[in-house]
């Protein structure tokens, strides 16, 4: 085994970058630690500006050939990548659980199958891509999607491989080459993806992986004039820095940012369903951008809702995410745990009441928490915590419900629980959100657009929207006359 290979949950993982079809060690390293027990997983290659430049150069060199590759061949390779993911699904699941602390059962049953589906979906969608020609005064308009060029994809730690491939798959399908920069708190499955892609026959340089700290290599990636697209999922402050870095080159950006999504429970709702959806917001230890962390409940049912919620939340099992019985695992990093605890302590000091939780657990675990008696303009209501912390407020009538729901700087998602279809339609139309779920949560179809409004993001991805972003969309207009005949 190479000195640059570590073993995580019995799986060998190369700790070096993947640039131009080769492993590159670089100089310095950073330590990757498991949130489950604080154990060191390994020393990971710490990228430099030179590594970032080399990765972009490799992507640029590989671009012409990959862009010229037929749709059918691109789709074949992406399906082969999906085959490789499915073949190594268990390895990917156990490594990612060790790396970011999310539930192993979720990785096995939902997350890693979705990784494979990301590749299959965009491979198939590519073969369907097109627009009917249309006529303008006898002239023919033909719309085409041209590959844009090298793309920098910067991905988060809460669902590392799934959210990476949500970007990698359409970028590659579109004929672009990619430099993937995974989050430093969860880099391991990106390295495994590089191996899988190479084994599937993806040409050298088409996918590159550079590990390290965004503060050290982010600007070198996003300011590079050879980069034609930047797609980022993460925090608003980091998005601002990326946008400023990309601005001199007018590099198009797709930004999927944070949220402070509401869950509106009306008096005519199925309360059992409402409680079930509310408790579901603790999924992944609350580290979900879409999570409906603000529970808004109509006054007449608030007391009963709270009683049922408290009862159901008390049954959640918090512990080792590798245990099938566990419902909530650890938070990703001591710094994140401190951030979560700080939010809660400041809220309690300001007069909030912890109906559920409100304190740390052992290690990097934070107790599922529900806070009441919170003001609409308070920090805990307005700012994203990104942990297992919910707030509960009451409202009287649709107008107040919508006013409270829309009264943050975010607009990623919203959930509405009601027994009245008319109310569902009225309220949904007034909510500022990229996605609204009615009597359900987290139902995602890759054909649908996904993104946020306000500070929750810029742009939409998914389905044809992904191709619109990752391509230069061209319209060719041809006159009906003017051809010379060659005999």
């Amino acid at each position: 085994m190479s000195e640059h290979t570590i073993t995580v949950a019995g799986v060998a993982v190369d700790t070096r970058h993947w640039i131009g079809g080769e492993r590159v060690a670089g100089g310095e390293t950073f330590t990757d630690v498991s949130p489950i027990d604080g154990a060191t997983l390994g020393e990971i290659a710490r990228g430099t500006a030179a590594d970032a430049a080399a990765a972009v150069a490799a992507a640029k060199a590989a671009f012409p050939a990959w862009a010229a590759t037929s749709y059918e061949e691109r789709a074949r390779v992406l399906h082969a990548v999906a085959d490789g993911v499915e073949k190594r699904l268990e390895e990917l699941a156990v490594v990612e659980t060790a790396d970011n602390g999310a539930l192993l059962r979720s990785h096995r049953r939902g997350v890693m199958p979705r990784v494979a589906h990301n590749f299959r979906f965009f491979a198939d969608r590519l073969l369907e891509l097109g627009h009917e020609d249309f006529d303008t005064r006898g002239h023919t308009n033909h719309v085409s999607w041209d590959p844009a060029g090298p793309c920098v994809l910067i991905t988060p730690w809460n669902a590392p491989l799934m959210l990476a491939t949500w970007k990698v798959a359409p970028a590659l399908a579109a004929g672009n080459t990619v430099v993937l920069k995974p989050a430093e708190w969860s880099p391991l499955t990106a390295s495994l993806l590089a191996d899988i892609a190479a084994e599937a026959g993806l040409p050298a340089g088409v996918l590159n992986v550079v590990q390290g700290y965004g503060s050290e290599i982010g600007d070198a990636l996003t300011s590079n004039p050879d980069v034609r697209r930047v797609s980022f999922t993460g925090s608003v402050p980091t998005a601002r820095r990326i946008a400023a870095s990309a601005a001199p080159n007018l590099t198009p950006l797709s930004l999927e940012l944070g949220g402070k999504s509401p869950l509106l429970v009306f008096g005519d709702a199925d309360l059992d369903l409402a409680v079930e959806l509310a408790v579901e917001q603790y999924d992944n230890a609350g580290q979900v951008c879409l999570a409906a962390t603000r529970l808004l409940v109509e006054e007449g049912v608030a007391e009963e809702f709270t009683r049922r919620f408290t009862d159901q939340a008390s049954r959640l099992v918090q512990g080792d995410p590798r245990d099938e019985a566990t419902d909530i695992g650890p938070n990703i990093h001591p710094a994140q745990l401190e951030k979560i605890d700080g939010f809660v302590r400041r809220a309690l000091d300001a007069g909030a009441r912890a109906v559920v939780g409100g304190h740390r657990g052992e290690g990097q675990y934070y107790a599922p928490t529900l806070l009441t008696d919170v003001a609409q303009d308070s920090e805990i209501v307005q700012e994203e915590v990104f942990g297992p912390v919910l707030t509960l407020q009451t409202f009287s009538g649709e107008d107040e419900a919508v006013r409270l729901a829309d009264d943050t700087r975010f607009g990623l998602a919203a959930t509405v629980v009601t027994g009245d279809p008319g109310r569902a339609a009225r309220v949904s139309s007034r909510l500022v959100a990229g996605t609204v779920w009615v009597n359900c949560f987290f139902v995602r179809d890759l054909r649908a657009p996904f993104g946020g409004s306000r500070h929750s993001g810029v742009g939409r991805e998914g389905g044809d929207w992904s191709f619109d972003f990752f391509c230069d969309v061209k319209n060719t207009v041809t006159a009906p006359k003017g051809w010379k005949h060659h005999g």
Side-chain angles (χ1 to χ4, degrees), residues 239-458:
R240 289 195 180 104
R241 292 194 292 272
I242 289 172
S245 175
N249 298 316
L250 297 179
T251 307
L253 301 170
S254 176
L255 305 173
E256 195 270 281
L257 310 178
K260 196 68 180 176
S261 301
L263 189 155
L264 290 73
V265 179
F266 287 91
D268 57 12
D270 177 337
L271 277 193
D272 286 337
L273 172 64
V275 168
E276 178 183 336
L277 295 175
V279 173
E280 191 177 343
Q281 307 311 312
Y282 290 130
D283 182 49
N284 202 21
Q287 299 169 143
V288 179
C289 59
L290 292 164
T293 56
R294 294 185 295 134
L295 309 182
L296 306 177
V297 185
E298 195 156 15
E299 291 172 351
V301 296
E303 183 176 348
E304 178 62 15
F305 173 89
T306 304
R307 186 189 67 77
R308 296 191 196 185
F309 178 94
T310 302
D311 179 62
Q312 189 160 325
S314 68
R315 301 176 194 170
L316 293 172
V317 176
Q318 188 168 32
D320 192 321
R322 297 165 294 194
D323 190 327
E324 278 281 317
T326 297
D327 298 308
I328 301 178
N331 290 98
I332 183 76
H333 192 273
Q336 184 65 18
L337 188 73
E338 185 61 35
K339 176 184 173 184
I340 295 165
D341 191 47
F343 270 113
V344 174
R345 285 187 285 105
R346 289 190 296 273
L348 295 174
D349 289 344
R353 182 168 62 94
V355 177
V356 177
H359 56 82
R360 295 175 186 247
E362 295 288 331
Q364 284 178 213
Y365 294 79
Y366 202 88
T369 295
L370 176 65
L371 301 176
T372 61
D373 300 336
V374 292
Q376 178 63 22
D377 61 355
S378 64
E379 178 192 55
I380 197 67
V381 170
Q382 293 293 325
E383 299 297 327
E384 185 178 44
V385 178
F386 221 63
V389 179
L390 311 180
T391 60
L392 189 149
Q393 299 165 271
T394 61
F395 64 83
S396 176
E398 290 180 19
D399 288 343
E400 186 178 16
V402 171
R403 179 182 64 79
L404 293 173
D406 286 345
D407 185 23
T408 75
R409 63 192 173 103
F410 298 102
L412 188 56
T415 301
V416 178
V417 191
T418 177
D420 182 345
R423 168 174 281 158
R426 288 191 304 272
V427 171
S428 297
S429 70
R430 297 172 64 188
L431 293 174
V432 179
T435 300
V436 178
W437 285 288
V438 178
N439 294 333
C440 60
F441 176 68
F442 214 50
V443 177
R444 291 281 305 277
D445 191 311
L446 292 187
R447 293 172 294 183
F450 179 73
S453 304
R454 296 175 177 166
H455 283 197
S456 286
V458 174

Side-chain angles (χ1 to χ4, degrees), residues 56-108:
V56 173
K60 181 181 180 182
F63 173 68
W66 182 246
T69 300
S70 69
Y71 281 18
E72 290 75 15
E73 176 61 12
R74 280 187 231 155
R76 186 197 67 76
V77 173
L78 293 186
H79 274 292
V81 175
D83 292 341
V85 169
E86 290 174 346
K87 181 180 178 181
R88 301 186 67 178
L89 190 147
E90 178 66 15
E91 295 181 11
L92 292 167
V94 296
V95 169
E96 189 141 297
T97 290
D99 205 15
N100 87 328
L103 299 185
L104 180 56
R105 73 180 192 219
S106 295
H107 282 143
R108 284 171 169 158

Side-chain angles (χ1 to χ4, degrees), residues 134-143 474-480:
F134 55 96
D135 179 82
T136 305
R137 299 187 302 277
H139 296 65
T140 300
N141 294 263
H142 176 74
V143 179
K474 178 191 295 179
N475 185 39
T476 302
V477 185
T478 304

Side-chain angles (χ1 to χ4, degrees), residues 96 111 114-115 118 153-170 180 189 193 231-234 256 284 287-290 386 442 444 450 461:
E96 189 141 297
V111 177
R114 165 67 186 273
V115 168
N118 283 343
L153 311 179
I154 303 174
T155 54
W157 45 258
N158 59 322
L161 192 57
M162 191 270 283
L163 292 178
T165 56
W166 163 248
K167 301 175 186 296
V168 170
L180 171 63
T189 48
L193 177 64
S231 181
F232 168 71
T233 297
E256 195 270 281
N284 202 21
Q287 299 169 143
V288 179
C289 59
L290 292 164
F386 221 63
F442 214 50
R444 291 281 305 277
F450 179 73
E461 295 183 33

